[in-house]
Amino acid sequence: MYRLNIYIGSGAVLLALVGLFLWIPQDTGTGLIVRVRRQVSIGDALAPTIAFTLMAIGGALLLVERRKHTSAEVSIAPFLHTGALVAVIALGLLLMRHAGPGILLIAEGFGATDTEYRLLRETFPWKYIGYFLGGVTIIGGMASLSAGRLQARTVLIAGVVTIGLVALVDVPFDDLLLPPNGDY
C-alpha cells in the first residue's frame, strides 16, 4: 500500500511540476495578476497555478506519509464518508447558487425591495450572501465530517476562512463577480 502512495505521489508531483514550469508559461497569455491602466484583474495563469501547486502539495504529502498498519479488508465506511463529503459540497454549491435570489424573494414578500437579483448582484450584501453561506457550508461541513462532530468553533472558523477568501479574491479586483453572480 505504501508503494502505491509513492507511485501516486511521485506522479502528482511530476505532473504538477510539468504544469507549473512548462504548460502554464507556454499556454497562458498573461501572468498571475494583470495590471492595465491602474486596473487590477486576475490573469490567465492564476487558477492553473493554484491548482498545480495544490497538486504538488498533495503529492508531496503522499510521499512523506507512512501508514502504521495496512488491512486487506475493505470497509464501507470510506465510501459513506466520501458520499457525505459529496453531499456537503453539493449542498454548499446549491446554497451558493440559490441563497441570494432566495433571500431576495423573501425580502420582496415583506415589501423590502421590488427589483430583480441580476440588478443587485454587484452590491453589498447581495454579492456575498450565496458565496458566504455556501463557503461556510462546504468548509464547516467538511471539517465537521472529518472531526466526526459539528462544533460552534468549526462554524466560526469556516466563517472566518470564507471572509478571508472574499478579502483575497473579491476586494482587490474591482470588476470581479464572486460565484455564482456572474451567471445571472
Side-chain angles (χ1 to χ4, degrees), residues 17-178:
L17 291 175
V18 166
L20 283 169
F21 295 109
L22 295 177
W23 178 64
I24 293 174
Q26 297 297 319
D27 193 45
T28 56
T30 63
L32 300 176
I33 296 174
V34 178
R35 288 182 187 92
V36 177
R37 296 183 187 156
R38 288 178 272 169
Q39 183 81 358
V40 179
S41 60
I42 293 175
D44 295 338
L46 184 63
T49 299
I50 291 171
F52 281 127
T53 301
L54 291 174
M55 181 186 292
I57 291 169
L61 289 174
L62 277 176
L63 289 173
V64 300
E65 179 187 28
R66 291 211 182 257
R67 300 266 175 164
K68 301 241 191 270
H69 64 287
T70 59
S71 176
E73 63 187 56
V74 175
S75 170
I76 190 127
F79 298 106
L80 292 175
H81 188 265
T82 302
L85 285 174
V86 169
V88 163
I89 292 169
L91 176 63
L93 292 175
L94 282 172
L95 278 171
M96 267 190 190
R97 177 78 170 130
H98 299 291
I103 291 174
L104 180 65
L105 189 63
I106 293 169
E108 286 175 355
F110 287 106
T113 184
D114 62 346
T115 188
E116 60 186 62
Y117 184 76
R118 188 178 60 81
L119 299 174
L120 296 173
R121 67 185 178 162
E122 294 182 34
T123 62
F124 181 83
W126 302 104
K127 71 187 288 185
Y128 299 117
I129 290 173
Y131 189 83
F132 180 78
L133 292 176
V136 168
T137 300
I138 292 172
I139 295 168
M142 292 174 77
S144 296
L145 283 172
S146 295
R149 63 182 183 270
L150 177 64
Q151 295 179 318
R153 184 179 80 147
T154 304
V155 176
L156 180 65
I157 290 170
V160 169
V161 168
T162 304
I163 290 170
L165 287 172
V166 167
L168 285 172
V169 174
D170 184 57
V171 173
F173 305 105
D174 296 331
D175 59 347
L176 182 74
L177 287 176
L178 289 172

